[in-house]
Amino acid sequence: MSKWWSRADYIETCNCAHGCPCNLTMLPTHGGCRGLEAFAIREGECDGVRLDGIGVAFGFSWPGPIHRGHGRALVYIDERASAAQRAALEKIATGEAGPGGPFEIFRGTFDERPAVVVGPLKLSVNGRHASIDIGKHGGVKVDPILSDMDGSEANARLVMPDGFIFKDGAIVNAHDGHVHGGGLDFTYGMSSGFIAEVAYNA
């Protein structure tokens, strides 16, 4: 088990309705939950290896509720990471580094170890706007939810004091979502998204 910690900007998107019932361990909107999430690490460390400024993304798919398992995942590591940073992020992201955040918990819901890819990763967070770009393997764009009544931006948050992924996140809209690779191939949009600041083992 590794000694690690991190603080990051977090982007979560999936095919569920806005607010994603999976966060409440309820049934996914469309039967299964699939999407793309990412962490832009502000600062962090794993077994003495600094992780500042590096990103990692996850494509994921569960055929039913997350807690019932049988999921698949693709771990996508920023190609700017050094060999030591890549090894550390792979351990954390696949759940092999031990407790902290969702990684070890989600590992128990996958039928097999997530596929790991290293490549160009672009992450952007600006208020209620964000994007994830993992090159040929996929991407998603995030922006505010707009009121059907007057077109105004929804200022809404999901607060979960005991949340293990995030505790306070802005509820936003995901669109143009797509993931390809690691046994995953799907698209989604006009669906759930969150933007949050997270800290694990810190």
Side-chain angles (χ1 to χ4, degrees), residues 59-142:
F60 56 83
S61 179
W62 287 273
I66 294 172
H67 56 275
R68 295 183 186 172
H70 302 298
R72 298 182 66 93
L74 169 70
V75 171
Y76 195 92
I77 297 174
D78 193 337
E79 66 180 5
R80 297 177 301 128
S82 67
Q85 289 172 324
R86 291 178 186 181
L89 285 172
E90 181 170 340
K91 287 177 65 176
I92 292 171
T94 58
E96 296 169 355
F103 312 109
E104 185 184 49
I105 295 171
F106 281 170
R107 177 63 186 272
T109 70
F110 299 140
D111 284 343
E112 58 188 44
R113 187 179 192 268
V116 179
V117 173
V118 176
L121 172 60
K122 297 179 181 178
L123 303 177
S124 173
V125 177
N126 182 14
R128 290 194 288 269
H129 297 265
S131 63
I132 305 171
D133 184 345
I134 56 174
K136 67 180 181 180
H137 293 282
V140 67
K141 297 178 182 177
V142 173

Side-chain angles (χ1 to χ4, degrees), residues 134-168:
I134 56 174
K136 67 180 181 180
H137 293 282
V140 67
K141 297 178 182 177
V142 173
D143 49 30
I145 298 171
L146 300 181
S147 167
D148 181 65
M149 180 175 66
D150 58 13
S152 62
E153 295 184 3
N155 182 12
R157 308 189 71 84
L158 178 63
V159 177
M160 300 182 293
D162 298 322
F164 63 88
I165 306 177
F166 66 89
K167 298 184 183 303
D168 184 349

